[in-house]
């Protein structure tokens, strides 16, 4: 379990959204965290890969491998 203190304005917005949609505030907090964590994990993976100095793959090769060539 996690307890989070929110600024009053954010709490009010979250409450209004929950009422308007019939979903719980917890639902929206979970959804927001999932999306944010996905983005953060992608970001740190990209940074890690950039720092590892692996050779790049040309766009044409990526398209070929994915079957996206015209």
């Amino acid at each position: 379990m996690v307890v989070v203190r929110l600024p009053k304005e954010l709490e009010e917005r979250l409450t209004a959204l929950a009422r308007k949609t019939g979903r719980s505030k917890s639902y929206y907090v979970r959804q927001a965290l999932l999306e944010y964590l996905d983005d953060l994990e992608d970001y740190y993976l990209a940074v890690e890969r950039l720092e590892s100095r692996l050779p790049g793959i040309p766009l044409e090769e990526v398209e070929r491998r994915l079957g996206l060539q015209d």
Side-chain angles (χ1 to χ4, degrees), residues 45-64:
L45 178 60
V47 168
E48 183 181 299
R49 296 247 170 105
L50 281 172
E51 289 173 347
S52 69
R53 307 258 187 222
L54 295 173
I57 301 172
L59 178 59
E60 295 78 17
E61 176 64 15
V62 172
E63 289 174 340
R64 185 188 67 72

Side-chain angles (χ1 to χ4, degrees), residues 2-38:
V2 175
V3 176
V4 178
R5 292 185 195 270
L6 299 174
K8 184 177 181 177
E9 180 183 322
L10 188 55
E11 169 75 22
E12 289 170 353
R13 289 173 61 194
L14 182 59
T15 299
L17 178 63
R19 280 191 192 130
K20 190 179 293 187
T21 61
R23 293 195 182 260
S24 68
K25 291 189 286 186
S26 294
Y27 170 82
Y28 287 111
V29 170
R30 274 192 306 274
Q31 291 302 112
L33 279 172
L34 282 170
E35 187 170 326
Y36 184 72
L37 288 176
D38 283 346

Side-chain angles (χ1 to χ4, degrees), residues 34 36-46:
L34 282 170
Y36 184 72
L37 288 176
D38 283 346
D39 290 346
L40 264 182
E41 289 167 342
D42 289 346
Y43 171 79
Y44 285 113
L45 178 60

